[in-house]
């Protein structure tokens, strides 16, 4: 497992997770071990094998198009860390 | 003593007016006061709410509502902390959902309520169901009632320990790679993972959506059959839910298993198997044979690749599912100068170690340039694992195996080494990848002091829970291991 392959800072950025220096080192080593283990899969010949994304042969499920009771905006906002005027408040996005 | 009732016995006594639902709930609450400081199976319980539900049930019973109409009337069922119950906390044992109150009932909860059940508290788990020991809970681990120095298993460790120690009559858990069956086996209960799609996932906080299933953790197989019958069946809120109605599982339990073909996968009786577990499983297999089963060896050749496959697929799905915890709409928020910084800070502080590791791994296997090498590759191996079972089930009706290579391990024994923890799930993970059904049923004890329960795992074809339950029940009735209970000093 070489470091160039698994760049923990880049992955943490993609996952939007801030890591401490200790965490970067620890997870880097631990995930390196796990990825080495995962390499075991290369022993398996998967030529011509269809991937399984789901255990069921799913077909599109339709229901009748009718109005049903759903969460009120009050209920939907109940757990909001910050709200005002029936809206979620977030840090400024546009300069 | 009412806390030690099974669902079946409680229904019997309630209908004969031998005791009230109020008295059952009080007995369970008393047990929680006495032992839960040692076990830590419950994260939250509202006594007044539970008693109020019991009083409503008693009132219905007194005006003549029967268990034919409401099969679980007056029965307290504990709920794993990742199933949504309106007005109750829903934290998934994570700091990131601290203070979150669920705004709606999961479909399984709606069904339990319509059946008259008492929704009884929140049980501990590994954070977001990621783990095999409940050590990843942000609110302290759950200890094994048979030996407090050992793990209750995970991720549904709280549900299993609560059932084992009679803090409730039964519980719901969820199983993504063994999270119902493994803790049930470690704590000496029955744990059933239904076929993928048998039970609605609406209101279950998603970990790995193509693997997750809700299922019962109970004292007996009969109880598991009763609960499954209530929670299974089509749901328009979950399009992956199978439309076939739930059969009357309890009614079929007493039929004999004469002539049932039972396969023993040679890849499961491996070197790393604990000698006590091997012994117990071999005896269980003999017993199934004595009961009329026809035992033969089968092969599931891709077994050794299941864990690697799982940790690609499950973490990939988790990284997508857990993206929703961003501090915007609910849960913890740590401020930042801009939204990006808010996400970094919130997720960095809100998630525990194992959750961060799995999100990072999942993000990596899905990242640009690696998708084909990891995710797509694992999906192809998943096909081969499924085919192993398809081939196996052409020869046999059920597969019998250990639930775990060992009995409950010690707290701290594997928590520093994620890979060792992952490897302990070798016998339970394939079932989820293949989408089939599986159960763990007590089959004996280790020769250690204190002794620890051992679980026999039976695996069935998709939608064949009926055979799974019938064989387990037959085995259970022949041995009655469920009558043996852990003893916890109450001082």
């Amino acid at each position: 497992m070489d470091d160039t392959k698994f760049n923990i800072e880049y992955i943490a950025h993609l996952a939007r997770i801030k890591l401490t220096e200790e965490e970067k080192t620890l997870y880097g080593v631990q995930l390196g071990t796990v990825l080495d283990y995962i390499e075991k899969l290369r022993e398996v010949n998967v030529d011509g094998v269809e991937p399984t994304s789901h255990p069921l042969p799913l077909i599109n499920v339709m229901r009748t198009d009718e109005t049903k009771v759903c969460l009120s905006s009050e209920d939907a906002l109940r757990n909001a860390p910050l709200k005002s005027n029936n809206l979620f408040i977030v840090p400024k996005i546009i300069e | 003593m009412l806390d030690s009732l099974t669902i079946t016995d409680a229904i019997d006594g309630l209908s004969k007016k031998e005791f009230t639902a109020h008295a059952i709930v009080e007995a369970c609450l008393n047990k929680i006061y006495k032992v839960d400081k040692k076990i830590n199976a419950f994260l939250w319980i509202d006594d007044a709410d539970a008693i109020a539900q019991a009083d409503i049930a008693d009132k219905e019973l007194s005006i003549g509502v029967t268990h034919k109409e409401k099969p679980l009337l007056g029965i307290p069922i504990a709920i794993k902390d990742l199933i949504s119950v309106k007005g109750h906390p829903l934290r998934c044992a994570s700091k990131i959902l601290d203070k979150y109150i669920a705004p709606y009932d999961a479909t399984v909860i709606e069904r339990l309520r319509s059946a008259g059940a008492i929704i009884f508290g929140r049980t501990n788990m590994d954070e977001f169901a990621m783990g095999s020991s409940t050590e990843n809970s942000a609110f302290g681990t759950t200890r094994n009632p048979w030996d407090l120095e050992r793990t209750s298993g995970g991720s549904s460790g709280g549900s299993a320990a609560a059932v084992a120690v009679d803090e409730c009559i039964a519980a719901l858990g969820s199983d993504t790679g063994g999270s119902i069956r493994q803790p049930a086996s470690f704590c000496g209960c029955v744990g059933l993972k239904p076929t993928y799609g048998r039970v609605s996932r609406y209101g279950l906080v998603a970990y790995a959506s193509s693997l997750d299933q809700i299922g019962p953790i109970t004292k007996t197989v009969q109880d598991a059959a009763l609960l499954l019958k209530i929670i299974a069946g089509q749901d328009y809120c979950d399009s992956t839910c199978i439309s076939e109605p739930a059969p009357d599982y309890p009614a079929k339990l007493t039929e004999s298993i004469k002539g049932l073909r039972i396969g023993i996968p040679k890849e499961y009786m491996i070197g790393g198997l604990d000698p006590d577990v091997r012994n117990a499983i071999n005896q269980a297999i003999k017993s199934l044979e004595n009961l009329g089963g026809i035992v033969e060896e089968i092969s599931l050749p891709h077994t050794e690749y299941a864990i690697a496959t799982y940790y690609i697929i499950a973490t990939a799905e988790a990284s997508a599912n857990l993206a929703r915890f961003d501090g915007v709409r609910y849960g913890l928020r740590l401020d930042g100068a801009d939204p990006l910084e808010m996400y970094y800070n919130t997720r960095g502080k809100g998630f525990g170690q194992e959750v961060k590791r799995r999100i990072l791994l999942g993000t990596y296997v899905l990242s640009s340039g690696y998708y084909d090498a990891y995710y797509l590759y694992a999906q192809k191996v998943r096909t081969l694992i499924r085919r192993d079972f398809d081939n196996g089930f052409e020869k046999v009706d059920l597969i019998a195996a250990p639930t775990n290579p060992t009995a409950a391990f010690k707290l701290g024994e594997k928590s520093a080494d994620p890979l060792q923890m992952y490897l302990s799930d070798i016998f339970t993970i394939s079932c989820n990848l293949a989408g089939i059904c599986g159960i763990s049923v007590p089959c004996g004890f280790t020769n250690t002091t204190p002794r620890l329960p051992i679980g026999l795992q039976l695996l069935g074809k998709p939608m064949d829970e009926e055979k799974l339950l019938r064989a387990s029940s037959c085995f259970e009735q022949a041995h009655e291991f469920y009558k043996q209970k852990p003893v916890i000093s109450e001082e």
Side-chain angles (χ1 to χ4, degrees), chain B residues 258-299:
Chain B
K258 206 166 181 336
L260 210 67
R261 295 162 305 162
I262 298 167
I264 314 298
K266 62 178 184 199
E267 292 81 4
Y268 282 48
M269 301 304 270
I270 47 163
L273 206 55
D274 176 271
D276 285 352
V277 173
R278 180 187 297 273
N279 252 334
I281 298 301
N282 281 334
Q283 281 176 24
I285 292 167
K286 270 198 202 104
S287 161
L288 288 168
E289 220 164 4
N290 293 337
L291 291 164
I294 301 160
V295 173
E296 63 175 282
E297 189 181 86
I298 61 161
S299 174

Side-chain angles (χ1 to χ4, degrees), chain A residues 54-55, chain B residues 176 196 201 206-212 240 314 317-318 321 324:
Chain A
H54 218 269
Chain B
T176 306
Y196 184 83
R201 291 180 294 114
Y207 157 25
S209 308
S210 79
L211 305 164
D212 298 338
T240 63
E317 293 184 14
N321 275 326
R324 72 193 61 180

Side-chain angles (χ1 to χ4, degrees), chain B residues 184-325:
Chain B
S185 135
F186 281 7
C187 293
C189 327
V190 174
L192 171 69
K193 186 209 90 78
T195 304
Y196 184 83
R198 182 66 284 192
V199 177
S200 165
R201 291 180 294 114
Y202 179 70
L204 170 74
V205 177
Y207 157 25
S209 308
S210 79
L211 305 164
D212 298 338
Q213 266 293 282
I214 296 172
I217 297 181
T218 55
K219 296 172 189 176
T220 63
V221 175
Q222 166 99 21
D223 284 6
L226 273 165
L227 262 186
L228 182 64
K229 189 189 166 195
I230 303 297
I231 61 173
Q234 187 167 30
D235 177 18
Y236 285 107
C237 292
D238 175 3
S239 59
T240 63
C241 203
I242 295 165
S243 59
E244 216 172 293
D248 190 359
Y249 299 111
K252 308 266 180 77
L253 285 185
T254 47
E255 285 170 33
S256 130
I257 59 163
K258 206 166 181 336
L260 210 67
R261 295 162 305 162
I262 298 167
I264 314 298
K266 62 178 184 199
E267 292 81 4
Y268 282 48
M269 301 304 270
I270 47 163
L273 206 55
D274 176 271
D276 285 352
V277 173
R278 180 187 297 273
N279 252 334
I281 298 301
N282 281 334
Q283 281 176 24
I285 292 167
K286 270 198 202 104
S287 161
L288 288 168
E289 220 164 4
N290 293 337
L291 291 164
I294 301 160
V295 173
E296 63 175 282
E297 189 181 86
I298 61 161
S299 174
L300 301 170
H302 295 91
T303 298
E304 63 170 309
Y305 304 108
I307 289 175
T309 306
Y310 175 87
Y311 278 95
I312 293 173
I313 289 171
T315 60
E317 293 184 14
S319 73
N321 275 326
L322 274 68
R324 72 193 61 180
F325 300 101

